[in-house]
Every structure is written in structure tokens, then in C-alpha cells.
Amino acid sequence: AGQEIVKAAQWAASDWNLSGQDEGHELVIVPFYDNNDVEQAKTVAQQIVDDGRFIGVVGHELSRTSEVAGPIYASAGIPVITPSATGDAVTATNPWYFRTVFDNTTQGEGIAAYSRTVLNAPAAIIVSSQDPYGVSLRNGFVSAYKPNGTIQADIVINDDPATLDAQLAVAAAQINKIAKPGPIVLAGLNPELGGIATKLTGAAAKSTLVGSDALSEAKFYLSMRAAGVDEVNRAINATPIVRGQLTGAGTSFYNQFEGVHGYHPGWMAATTYDAVDAFAHSISRTEVAASTQSLEQDRVAVRDVLALARTPETAIPVLTGPLYFNDTRSAVKPVAFVSGRIEANGTFDIEPAPLQLAPYSQSAGMTLEQAIAAGRVVAFNNQVFTIQRIVMVGMNFNQVGELDLASQSFSADFFVWFRYEGGAQLPFTPEFTNAVDPGLELGDPQKLSQSFGQTYALYRVSSDFKGQFAFNDFPFDTQQLPIVLQPSDAPSSQVSFVVDAAVLSEQQEQRLASGVNPAESIDRIPNWQASAVDYFTASIGTTASMGDPTAVVGTTGITYSEFVGDVAIGRDIPSFLTKNLLPLLLLVSVSYIALWLPFKESGARISFGTAGILTGAVMLSTVTNSLPQVDYTVAIEWAYYAFIFLSGCSVLVSMVGRQLVDRRQLAGARALERSSRIAYPIAVAAVAFGYWLAFH
């Protein structure tokens, strides 16, 4: 985790420096390591203070190390942002400490709300560790859950790895005596806490394990599987970031990180990137001099910018969305939940839990009371949440074809599938927003099955779709052929699309192979070649109140989740150039031959040049005839404009040369003749080289 934090921080700084948003200041990351040791954390904090170069600190990783380092930074006036420490005391009384995650009170309340409303558990069990992380998380959960249900057991253990297994055995024995045990909440840092599942018997063996954010990584689930627990799918964990729900830059960062480092990064990668982003934007919003003489004032200025980010309107734009803080300088984030999933073939992945609690949004045509009665909305501790369904979506193209550039449309045949909690009926009305036929429907499912309480529905679709093509680089352009799917009757607070891990793990060779015949390509477009297929989620809508007098700041507006399957295609450049540019090259050669005629035959020379201008104009019209009307110049046009310009120059040279000959200025005529014969091929070569630089 520590290495992941360092890599993400350096990545974020590099992205910021390349963005050019603050050219006056280069952001540099210098890593320090405390090895999650309290005494080492104090030493490292003092080293950073004594160094005298740093405007801010990203860290520490754990709550216990952050707590002891915090006063040292505060005394030196250095702002700190932790991307991972959720213990309340880290930021509660330290005005110099911020975090890009929720605090443990918020997390405990979120786990309590989820256990009582989504899991519908009137009773629960809490097993917590003695460290600051476990204590504050336990307090947050108990204080929120007690007014709404029964705490059947409140078990405290220490985090000593040497005795953990024995302590879990004692805890499990206590739980096994409970007649109807509810969910077992695990509040601790050690992923081996999942081992308690192997010691549960009877009714307790069927209890759902609900872990904290520190347990939302693969180690927790894999330790359960290695211990012989098959029902890993029953365990869910809190988390500040659900990777599958990220859009835009967040999705791009995770995909690129995985491509470079070869593994799926955890949620701390995103919150670390957010922390660096927050510092970068804070620096750019102040008049930072970035010198040792002004360092004290610079640090205060940066801290003040962070402290002002208290509402969505004053939020700092970061990777995962607008960042703003509550009264204790914790990020205002909902508590999300993830679950481990083992497929029948043994593959394992972590994905969003099928049901989430989202900030309340009004259901169409329903009052709050009606929405609660319908099960769309729940109330907990004077808070109202919308039940958000996570729908895993996957797609597999069979073929794309019938590309029409003039109408900017194409045909596509593909499989699309959904995995969700519920019955056979989809919990939303699907809409292909870029379908040529606005009434396009999925039809009947090709396959319908259920496992682990989730429904899998597979459909096949074949229709025409609209693209939004850009022809600036024609004919060297790459076009995108998107299939955009949206739940038309459910905003993202109710239904959120997430890309199925099954397609995210595919290599491009697999994605480009036809779903009905893997030996064939999906490409059925003559003179074009499919180069890549990408799948991602996005959102569309507005966050404005739109005149609603009941709107609440930060929860206003309506947005819809989107799933996009996108095929990138490029032209078959060699065949295109052979067909369309070979005649131009022949014309260039003929026009050049005219320069070798004597000036006394200026009529013939001028005829060659004039014919070249007219022929070039006709050829240009023919080449671009397949394009729709565009109000910009495409790449290929510049080549024809260059030829027409050269033809015009050859006409001018012929006219000037004839006048020089008539005036008996033969030396000037010969010089003009030589220079034109040299300049013409140089100009042609320069144009060709320019195209090579731009599009090779």
C-alpha cells in the first residue's frame, strides 16, 4: 500500500506538471517512509520539518502514525493531507490536517445504516481492534446502530499478529452461542480478520461479514478463500472509492496505472492522487513565491485555500470529483461498499456491492413517503438515502459495418449483458441514446440465470447507430463508433452502471474478435480497420437545482449513468493514398516537366500550370466528396492547396521568365529557371515531410 501511495503521488504530480495549469511552479514529490511505525513516524515528521523545503505533506498511511506526526507538522505550520487515515483524532483538533477520505465516525455510521437498511438486520455484532482506527470506527458504528437495533456482542481484540488467530477463535466461540446472529462487523486493519469466518459454526456460519475500508482489498477475501471458505461472496466491505463507478479521468488513471505497473490499484491510489491534486490547485490559487524566504507564508496560504473548500461551490476539482471538507476537515464522501466475487471457473475479483446507499434524490412521480413505501428510499437516524442499484454491464461486439460518413452512422451487432440484484425483469428501462431508431429495444434475453442472489441477463442487438465524427485529419483520421446505453427512467442515484470485470480483463485481441466467431474480426467496413475496443462508464445530466425550491445544496440536479462500448477504426491508408494521391503525384510530375520547357514557349508552360490548377481543384472535390459538409479544412486539402499554389507559382515564373527573355536579360532568366527547377521538388518534399511528421 505504501508503494502504491508513492506511485500514485508521483503520477499525479507528473500529470499536473504536464497539464500546464501552473507553469510557474513544478510540483515535485519526495518520498519518506515510516514503515507504519509510531516512533519512526515522529522521526520522519521531524526530518520533513527540519528539511525546510516542503510546502505540504501527503500522508501518513495509518491513523496511529498520522496522529503522532500531526502535532509536529502543526507546530511548524505545514499543511498535511492524508489519503487513507480515517481515525477521527487525526484531523478533529488539528487545523493543519486534512484528508481525502471520510472519517471513522462517518464510516461507522455508514456501515450501521447499510447493515440496518440494506441488509435489513435488526441485530448486529461488532468485532474491533484496540488501535485508534478500530476504537473510533467501533464508536461510530455503535452510536449509530444502537438507537435502531440491538448490539448482540461487542468484542474487542488487539492487533498482535502472533495471537490474532487465538483471539478470533475466542470471538467466534462467543458468536456461535448467539441463537440468531446478525451481520458481523469487523473494524480493524489486519486483513487476516477474515479468518474468523472459518471458525463460525451453525447459524453464525451464514452471517454476512461487513468489513471496514482497511479490509476492502484482495488480501481479506483471498485469505478467506485460502482458509477453505467458499462463500466469499457473502462478505462486503466499506470503501471511499468504488473503482467501477469512476468516470472520465478516474477511469483513465486506473487503466493506465494497471497498464504500467501490471496490477489493479486499490482505492488509496485514487485518494492519493486527489491529495496531490488538492495541493496543486491550492498552490495555483495563491500567489506562492516558492522560495525559502516565503515558505512560511506559502504554507499558510495553501492551508487557507484548503480550509475554504467547505461546499460544492467552493470545492477543489480532483480526480474523483469535487473535493470539499466538513467541520473536522474530512472529505465529504458517501460510504460505498464492495464485495469479493469468485466465479465458477475460480477467477476472483472485487466489485461494487449490488446495492448501495446514495444521497437522497426524489423518485419520479413519488413523494418521499411513497418512495419509502416502495423500497426505493430508506430513512436512518434522521437521514434519508436512496437505494442505488449497481448494474454490472458487459458487451461483446460481433461486427461493425455499413459506415456512412455523410450521415455519420454505422451498423453494429453485439451481445450486451447485465448482472444485478433482482428478478428476471430489468430494474430499469434501457435506452440506446445514439441509436438511429429511437425506439430500439433489447427484446427477449438470449440467456437468463441466477447465482449468489444476482440475475444474469444476456441480449443480442443489431441496429444502426449515430457517431460524432471529426475529419480534421482526413484521410489519416481515426473515428470512434460508440454504443451508448442509459437507464432512461432511473437517475444515477437509483441505477449506476459499472463495467463488468469480465470485459475489463480482456486483451484487445479478444475484444476485436467476433463474439459469434472468435476466428473472425468484428471489422466489416471496407477500407477501414478496427484498432481498439474500449468499455467505460460516464454520466450525463446536470447538478443544478433547475429552479427547485426544495433543492438541497450538494444533492441537486439529475444525472444518468451511461455505459459506452466504443470501437476505434482507422482508414486503410496505403490503399486510400494509392487510389487518391497517385493521380496527384502524376499531376505534380507533369507540372514539374513544364518547368523544363524554354521560356519562349511560355504559352505551353502557362497552359500546363493552368491545367494543373483546374485539375487539382476537380480532384480535391472528388476526394472530399464522401465527407459531410464541414466548416474546417481537412488534412488532405492542404496537399491539394500546396499543389495549386505551386501550379500558380509555375505560371508566374513562366510569365516573368518570358519578360526577362524579351528584354534580353538572359542571365536573370537562367537564374530564375534554375531556382524554379530546384525549388519545386524541395517544396514537394517539404509538404510530404510535413505530413509524415504530423501523421506517421
Side-chain angles (χ1 to χ4, degrees):
Q3 288 296 328
E4 189 168 289
I5 288 174
V6 172
K7 291 173 183 176
Q10 291 171 335
W11 195 301
S14 176
D15 282 353
W16 175 263
N17 294 333
L18 291 172
S19 72
Q21 295 184 67
D22 188 1
E23 296 181 359
H25 305 104
E26 181 184 3
L27 205 61
V28 178
I29 302 296
V30 179
F32 288 79
Y33 301 92
D34 64 13
N35 299 317
N36 292 335
D37 178 79
V38 170
E39 293 304 318
Q40 184 66 18
K42 295 178 184 177
T43 302
V44 164
Q46 194 60 53
Q47 287 175 349
I48 291 172
V49 169
D50 295 341
D51 188 286
R53 290 181 296 164
F54 303 112
I55 200 169
V57 175
V58 174
H60 294 219
E61 181 187 341
L62 301 185
S63 297
R64 61 172 180 257
T65 51
S66 297
E67 279 189 34
V68 298
I72 298 173
Y73 296 126
S75 64
I78 301 178
V80 192
I81 305 176
T82 174
S84 53
T86 53
D88 290 21
V90 172
T91 64
T93 59
N94 189 338
W96 291 88
Y97 229 120
F98 300 79
R99 60 174 136 230
T100 52
V101 289
F102 43 59
D103 57 34
N104 273 347
T105 294
T106 301
Q107 181 179 187
E109 292 171 350
I111 294 174
Y114 193 89
S115 300
R116 186 66 186 91
T117 60
V118 177
L119 299 182
N120 197 26
I125 299 162
I126 174 75
V127 179
S128 60
S129 59
Q130 290 177 326
D131 55 83
Y133 174 87
V135 171
S136 57
L137 185 52
R138 176 259 175 208
N139 293 341
F141 173 80
V142 171
S143 62
Y145 196 87
K146 263 191 173 181
N148 302 277
T150 302
I151 302 293
Q152 296 172 302
D154 188 349
I155 303 170
V156 178
I157 61 176
N158 65 53
D159 58 357
D160 181 8
T163 62
L164 180 62
D165 189 68
Q167 293 182 76
L168 291 179
V170 173
Q174 183 178 343
I175 296 170
N176 290 336
K177 295 177 182 179
I178 300 173
K180 294 182 179 180
I184 302 171
V185 177
L186 302 176
L189 292 169
N190 195 328
E192 299 301 326
L193 283 172
I196 195 173
T198 65
K199 307 177 189 307
L200 299 173
T201 60
K206 298 185 181 298
S207 294
T208 300
L209 300 182
V210 185
S212 56
D213 64 300
L215 307 180
S216 63
E217 304 293 337
K219 285 183 179 180
F220 172 79
Y221 296 99
L222 294 177
S223 67
M224 294 173 64
R225 184 174 68 171
V229 177
D230 296 325
E231 295 185 79
V232 177
N233 304 59
R234 286 190 297 109
I236 51 179
N237 287 313
T239 180
I241 300 292
V242 177
R243 175 188 174 187
Q245 290 180 288
L246 293 174
T247 61
T251 300
S252 177
F253 164 68
Y254 267 79
N255 291 341
Q256 291 177 25
F257 189 102
E258 182 179 348
V260 171
H261 297 295
Y263 68 93
H264 297 294
W267 59 261
M268 277 186 277
T271 55
T272 299
Y273 196 113
D274 284 351
V276 175
D277 253 3
F279 270 127
H281 282 283
S282 299
I283 293 169
S284 68
R285 290 182 182 184
T286 63
E287 295 183 0
V288 170
S291 69
T292 53
Q293 290 75 23
S294 66
L295 190 58
E296 183 176 341
Q297 294 87 345
D298 292 345
R299 290 168 174 170
V300 172
V302 169
R303 195 214 75 88
D304 289 347
V305 172
L306 294 171
L308 288 173
R310 295 292 304 278
T311 66
E313 289 74 24
T314 59
I316 301 170
V318 296
L319 181 76
T320 62
L323 172 67
Y324 59 102
F325 306 99
N326 61 17
D327 292 341
T328 58
R329 290 163 293 284
S330 297
V332 179
K333 286 182 179 292
V335 181
F337 292 85
V338 293
S339 60
R341 181 177 177 83
I342 297 180
E343 302 289 354
N345 60 7
T347 59
F348 169 80
D349 205 351
I350 295 176
E351 61 186 30
L355 296 177
Q356 305 278 345
L357 291 177
Y360 169 67
S361 66
Q362 187 171 356
S363 298
M366 287 187 178
T367 64
L368 174 60
E369 292 74 17
Q370 290 171 330
I372 291 176
R376 293 189 179 184
V377 173
V378 295
F380 182 83
N381 281 2
N382 299 318
Q383 289 183 289
V384 181
F385 301 95
T386 296
I387 298 292
Q388 181 189 54
R389 291 182 179 273
I390 300 298
V391 179
M392 310 300 294
V393 187
M395 184 176 287
N396 195 326
F397 283 92
N398 299 320
Q399 68 175 46
V400 291
E402 297 182 23
L403 181 67
D404 187 336
L405 296 180
S407 64
Q408 301 193 49
S409 65
F410 62 96
S411 67
D413 183 284
F414 55 90
F415 289 111
V416 60
W417 64 87
F418 306 94
R419 190 157 43 82
Y420 55 92
E421 183 163 302
Q425 182 69 33
L426 287 175
F428 60 93
T429 301
E431 177 186 1
F432 292 95
T433 58
N434 67 323
V436 173
D437 175 11
L440 177 63
E441 296 182 353
L442 288 174
D444 296 327
Q446 303 278 309
K447 183 179 180 181
L448 198 63
S449 63
Q450 283 194 322
S451 64
F452 294 108
Q454 287 190 297
T455 297
Y456 169 84
L458 174 70
Y459 299 85
R460 184 170 181 175
V461 179
S462 182
S463 190
D464 295 329
F465 298 87
K466 302 172 185 175
Q468 292 184 342
F469 301 158
F471 301 101
N472 304 69
D473 295 338
F474 174 82
F476 309 98
D477 49 327
T478 297
Q479 302 296 350
Q480 308 300 133
L481 309 182
I483 307 293
V484 184
L485 181 63
Q486 174 186 309
S488 63
D489 58 346
S492 57
S493 60
Q494 298 175 13
V495 173
S496 179
F497 285 159
V498 174
V499 181
D500 197 313
V503 295
L504 285 178
S505 61
E506 289 180 339
Q507 300 298 317
Q508 283 297 337
E509 293 78 5
Q510 296 172 283
R511 297 182 183 184
L512 290 168
S514 173
V516 293
N517 186 356
E520 295 184 359
S521 168
I522 64 173
D523 187 6
R524 293 292 186 275
I525 307 175
N527 301 318
W528 289 80
Q529 194 167 37
S531 58
V533 178
D534 289 309
Y535 304 104
F536 56 91
T537 55
S539 60
I540 187 172
T542 176
T543 57
S545 63
M546 296 177 288
D548 182 1
T550 65
V552 179
V553 173
T555 62
T556 59
I558 298 177
T559 60
Y560 291 87
S561 182
E562 288 186 330
F563 173 88
V564 182
D566 186 74
V567 181
I569 60 171
R571 296 177 192 273
D572 185 354
I573 297 298
S575 63
F576 181 91
L577 295 182
T578 300
K579 180 179 179 180
N580 295 281
L581 285 190
L582 183 58
L584 179 62
L585 291 175
L586 294 174
L587 194 59
V588 168
S589 300
V590 171
S591 298
Y592 182 58
I593 291 173
L595 294 177
W596 293 85
L597 296 175
F599 282 131
K600 65 180 181 180
E601 297 184 20
S602 59
R605 290 173 62 119
I606 292 173
S607 296
F608 269 97
T610 304
I613 293 172
L614 297 175
T615 306
V618 172
M619 290 173 62
L620 174 59
S621 177
T622 302
V623 170
T624 59
N625 192 48
S626 63
L627 301 180
Q629 293 294 325
V630 294
D631 57 1
Y632 50 83
T633 301
V634 301
I636 194 67
E637 288 180 305
W638 293 110
Y640 283 92
Y641 292 157
F643 169 71
I644 292 172
F645 175 76
L646 287 176
S647 297
C649 288
S650 68
V651 171
L652 180 62
V653 166
S654 299
M655 295 172 64
V656 172
R658 180 56 187 264
Q659 288 185 359
L660 291 175
V661 170
D662 291 344
R663 295 175 183 174
R664 308 302 295 172
Q665 297 177 351
L666 300 182
R670 284 193 293 271
L672 179 61
E673 190 174 53
R674 284 193 301 270
S675 60
S676 64
R677 291 172 181 173
I678 295 172
Y680 191 98
I682 290 176
V684 172
V687 171
F689 183 67
Y691 272 91
W692 182 84
L693 285 178
F695 303 110
H696 80 285

